């Protein structure tokens, strides 16, 4: 970072904002470490546009901070980008093999299963808590997401599923099966909106340093705790990531997106092909 930018960043971080205008000034001086300049600039523009709209509509400062901290802003912006992608879908969408009951992508990698925001974690808990005690995805496959219905292999939290799930698709269901079994087949990936989502949430966190804590959560753990009857607070506590997970996820996903394609084995967070990038 250039000296003048460092000075501006220090000055912005010293001043505690009292308004959305103050937040926007902070955002303007906040870098996103480890991100490509173009990705960081794009995330900053979109976050600033959200804040500008909130300001014009008289959204209280505290509500704007909370929306940034919980990931609601990232969810709204990336959701709009996804909707735009679907209006003029790229080949990865039109040629996707995805169908109800095809659930190899819901067999989650590792203990984490994917990075989600607080807003998404709370929504998943609300959707799954009433299903506590019912058979869940692990009755079909030991590594399956607990939100999955083991009989129909459809998502029992469909309307509340996180952006990670909404962004993941594949041209080849058999490649997904191979990858779920530990192989390295090509064909599956994340739409580019997911990269924006991660960048916007990470930039929100950088902007809010010293104001409020911003966390991310493990999809598998939230779903498991929810279907096991844990309260929302307990589920969040069980699933809370250390701060570096968001940065690791963001960097891993960006690296994967710059490659021609990546195998599913690296995890859904890291499976991103350039074919799925937004074209806007
Ligand atoms: S991503 Fe793969 S496993 Fe998931 S629905 Fe699409 S084709 Fe099926
Ligand atoms: S939340 Fe739903 S779509 Fe996402 S991994 Fe779990 S079962 Fe699959």
């Amino acid at each position: 970072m250039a000296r003048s930018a460092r000075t501006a960043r220090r000055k912005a971080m010293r001043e505690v904002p009292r308004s959305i205008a103050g937040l926007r000034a902070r955002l303007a001086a906040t870098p996103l470490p480890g991100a490509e300049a173009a990705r960081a600039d794009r995330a900053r523009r979109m976050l600033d546009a959200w804040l500008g709209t909130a300001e014009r509509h008289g959204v209280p400062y505290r509500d704007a901070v909370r929306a940034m901290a919980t990931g609601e802003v990232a969810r709204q912006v990336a959701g709009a980008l996804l909707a735009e992608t679907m209006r003029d879908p790229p080949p990865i969408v039109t040629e996707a093999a995805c169908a109800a009951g095809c659930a190899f992508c819901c067999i989650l990698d590792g203990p984490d299963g994917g990075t989600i925001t607080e807003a998404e974690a709370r929504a998943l808990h609300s959707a799954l808590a009433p299903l506590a005690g019912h058979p869940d995805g692990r009755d079909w496959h030991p590594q399956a997401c607990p939100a999955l219905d083991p009989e129909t292999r459809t998502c029992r939290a469909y309307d509340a599923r996180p952006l990670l799930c909404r962004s993941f698709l594949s041209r080849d269901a058999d490649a997904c099966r191979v990858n779920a079994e530990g192989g390295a087949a090509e064909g599956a990936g994340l739409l580019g909106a997911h990269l924006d989502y991660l960048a916007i949430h990470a930039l929100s966190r950088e902007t809010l340093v010293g104001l409020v804590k911003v966390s991310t959560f493990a999809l598998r753990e939230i779903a498991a705790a929810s279907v096991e009857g844990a309260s929302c607070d307990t589920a969040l506590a069980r699933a809370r990531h250390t701060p570096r997970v968001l940065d690791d996820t963001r960097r891993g996903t960006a690296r994967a997106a710059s490659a021609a394609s990546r195998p599913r084995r690296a995890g859904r967070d890291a499976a991103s092909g350039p074919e799925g990038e937004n074209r806007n």
Side-chain angles (χ1 to χ4, degrees):
M1 200 190 309
R3 192 171 171 184
S4 58
R6 279 199 300 273
T7 304
R9 163 80 172 154
R10 275 199 294 270
K11 183 171 180 298
M13 299 313 280
R14 268 200 308 272
E15 290 170 6
V16 176
R18 308 277 177 210
S19 65
I20 292 180
L23 269 182
R24 294 177 76 183
R26 248 192 185 220
L27 170 63
T30 299
L32 186 54
E36 286 179 7
R39 179 70 61 187
D41 287 348
R42 181 177 157 90
R44 191 173 294 100
R45 279 199 310 276
M46 291 191 285
L47 188 48
D48 185 64
W50 189 95
L51 285 169
T53 303
E55 196 174 19
R56 283 193 298 282
H57 285 81
V59 172
Y61 164 75
R62 281 172 185 269
D63 292 354
V65 169
R66 172 128 190 93
M68 288 171 69
T70 61
E72 181 58 24
V73 177
R75 190 192 65 78
Q76 283 182 20
V77 173
L81 292 173
L82 267 186
E84 190 177 324
T85 298
M86 296 306 171
R87 273 197 288 276
D88 180 16
I92 183 65
V93 175
T94 56
E95 297 167 11
C98 302
C102 182
F104 298 115
C105 56
C106 299
I107 298 173
L108 304 177
D109 292 300
D112 192 273
T115 297
I116 65 174
T117 62
E118 181 180 335
E120 292 175 326
R122 288 183 182 279
L124 265 184
H125 183 272
S126 296
L128 294 174
L131 304 173
H134 291 221
D136 66 58
R138 294 168 294 183
D139 292 296
W140 166 56
H141 188 288
Q143 296 302 314
C145 176
L148 196 71
D149 185 314
E151 292 293 325
T152 63
R153 296 180 199 168
T154 53
C155 180
R156 297 183 298 166
Y158 191 78
D159 290 341
R161 72 198 191 287
L163 199 94
L164 175 61
C165 305
R166 295 170 192 268
S167 307
F168 195 86
L169 33 71
S170 172
R171 285 191 170 96
D172 183 356
D174 202 50
C176 296
R177 180 190 59 73
V178 168
N179 292 334
E181 292 170 353
E186 296 182 358
L190 286 160
L191 292 169
H194 195 71
L195 291 173
D196 291 318
Y197 155 90
L198 292 171
I200 291 167
H201 195 50
L203 190 55
S204 294
R205 186 175 70 178
E206 294 295 317
T207 303
L208 297 176
V209 164
L211 301 178
V212 65
K213 185 174 178 183
V214 178
S215 297
T216 57
F217 300 85
L219 167 59
R220 181 197 296 285
E221 196 59 39
I222 277 288
S226 302
V227 301
E228 287 161 15
S231 69
C232 190
D233 285 347
T234 300
L236 290 174
R238 267 175 62 174
R240 193 180 302 275
H241 281 151
T242 58
R244 67 170 296 167
V245 174
L246 175 58
D247 292 330
D248 289 348
T249 301
R250 183 167 56 82
R251 289 178 174 128
T253 306
R255 270 198 303 274
S258 68
S261 66
R262 291 290 279 220
R264 166 72 167 69
R265 187 168 173 70
R268 290 201 304 175
D269 273 336
S272 184
E275 60 193 351
E277 283 285 286
N278 278 321
R279 288 165 294 161
N280 50 0

